[in-house]
Amino acid sequence: MVIIEVSLLSGFIMTSRSRALLENRTIVKKIEVKANVVYIYLEKLNDESQTFILQLEQVIQVKNLKPASIKIYDYYQPEERALAEYRAVCS
C-alpha cells in the first residue's frame, strides 16, 4: 500500500468535489482528512505515471502563506519516500 500525505496550506480545505473525484479513481483505496492533512491510500503503484488533482478552497485569509508539503511513501517501507513542496497559485 502507498500513502500520499498532503499537508494543506494554512487557511485551506479540500473541496468535497475534489474528494469525490479522487474516490472514483480505481487506484484510490481510501481517503482520510485529519486536521490539516489529507491522506490518500493507494492499493499500489507501478512505473506508470499517475496524476492526482486536489482542489482546495481558501476559508481563512492568511498573510505570508508558507509552502506546504506532499509526501508519498510505502506503508510497509516508509523509508522509501519522496517529498515535495507546493504553494498557492496566487502567492
Side-chain angles (χ1 to χ4, degrees), residues 41-57:
Y41 295 84
L42 309 177
E43 190 65 47
K44 62 182 176 180
L45 283 180
N46 55 29
D47 58 354
E48 203 174 298
S49 178
Q50 297 285 331
T51 301
F52 296 88
I53 298 172
L54 271 66
Q55 296 174 338
L56 305 180
E57 178 182 347

Side-chain angles (χ1 to χ4, degrees), residues 59-76:
V59 292
I60 299 171
Q61 187 73 29
V62 176
K63 290 185 179 185
N64 300 321
L65 194 59
K66 304 292 185 233
S69 65
I70 300 172
K71 185 175 11 174
I72 184 168
Y73 56 93
D74 185 311
Y75 179 81
Y76 300 104

Side-chain angles (χ1 to χ4, degrees), residues 14-30:
M14 181 174 68
T15 66
S16 55
R17 182 175 185 272
S18 181
R19 183 181 183 129
L21 289 171
L22 285 171
E23 288 174 336
N24 283 336
R25 306 245 334 237
T26 56
I27 193 171
V28 176
K29 188 173 183 176
K30 177 171 114 174

